[in-house]
Amino acid sequence: MFLRVIAFAGGLTGAAGFSQFPEFSQQYLQRLGGAVDALEQVVADFDASAVAEGLSREAALDQMRGTAFLERRRDDMQDTISRFTGLRGDLEALEARSAWGRAAAGWRFGDAELISDTSKAFRPGLPLTLEGAGFAGAGFLTGWALLLAFFAVLSWPFRRKG
């Protein structure tokens, strides 16, 4: 009986935790969209400057040599372009998915800065949607099963052999 009560508590804890994923992923997407918009402006400005000088992006980056400052700015711009490209791909992939699809594509939540910022500002949401209820159910079952398995492993050495 005690084991069932503990497992039920584990299930409720899992339900509470998992039910927050749709809200967390929504808040992450909002931050991701803002980051993509900001980086897009920086990249577009750089590309416009390059075009005004009759250069491609790559040619403009290649010309940023000769001084330590220019080379540092070139490296910074390459990092910015790379981050923009990666985040834009993540945004496009995640926007098209439901909360379940976003969970399945969890590797797309890979920007440490955005995860940290989202976590700091995250406010839990109640699971008032079908998706939230589904995640709550999945979390409950996962928490229940993990605690039952944990206690089964702990009690295994003490079982009587029949």
Side-chain angles (χ1 to χ4, degrees), residues 24 31 83 111-122:
F24 182 85
R31 288 185 177 274
R83 184 167 187 238
D111 190 84
E113 182 181 335
L114 289 177
I115 287 285
S116 175
D117 290 347
T118 303
S119 296
K120 288 175 188 172
F122 178 69

Side-chain angles (χ1 to χ4, degrees), residues 58-94:
E58 293 74 24
L61 287 168
D62 284 342
Q63 285 195 8
M64 296 177 77
R65 296 186 190 279
T67 68
F69 175 77
L70 282 176
E71 290 181 14
R72 179 173 290 193
R73 288 303 303 147
R74 182 192 70 233
D75 292 344
D76 291 344
M77 197 64 220
Q78 286 173 323
D79 291 345
T80 298
I81 291 167
S82 178
R83 184 167 187 238
F84 166 67
T85 302
L87 292 181
R88 182 179 56 191
D90 290 343
L91 181 62
E92 290 170 357
L94 292 171

Side-chain angles (χ1 to χ4, degrees), residues 6-86:
I6 295 297
F8 186 75
L12 288 176
T13 301
F18 275 48
S19 72
Q20 299 311 304
F21 179 77
E23 181 63 24
F24 182 85
S25 69
Q26 181 61 34
Q27 290 181 25
Y28 180 87
L29 278 177
Q30 290 171 350
R31 288 185 177 274
L32 180 59
V36 167
D37 288 346
L39 291 171
E40 184 174 37
Q41 185 61 48
V42 172
V43 172
D45 286 347
F46 182 81
D47 289 345
S49 294
V51 167
E53 295 300 317
L55 301 170
S56 67
R57 178 187 293 168
E58 293 74 24
L61 287 168
D62 284 342
Q63 285 195 8
M64 296 177 77
R65 296 186 190 279
T67 68
F69 175 77
L70 282 176
E71 290 181 14
R72 179 173 290 193
R73 288 303 303 147
R74 182 192 70 233
D75 292 344
D76 291 344
M77 197 64 220
Q78 286 173 323
D79 291 345
T80 298
I81 291 167
S82 178
R83 184 167 187 238
F84 166 67
T85 302

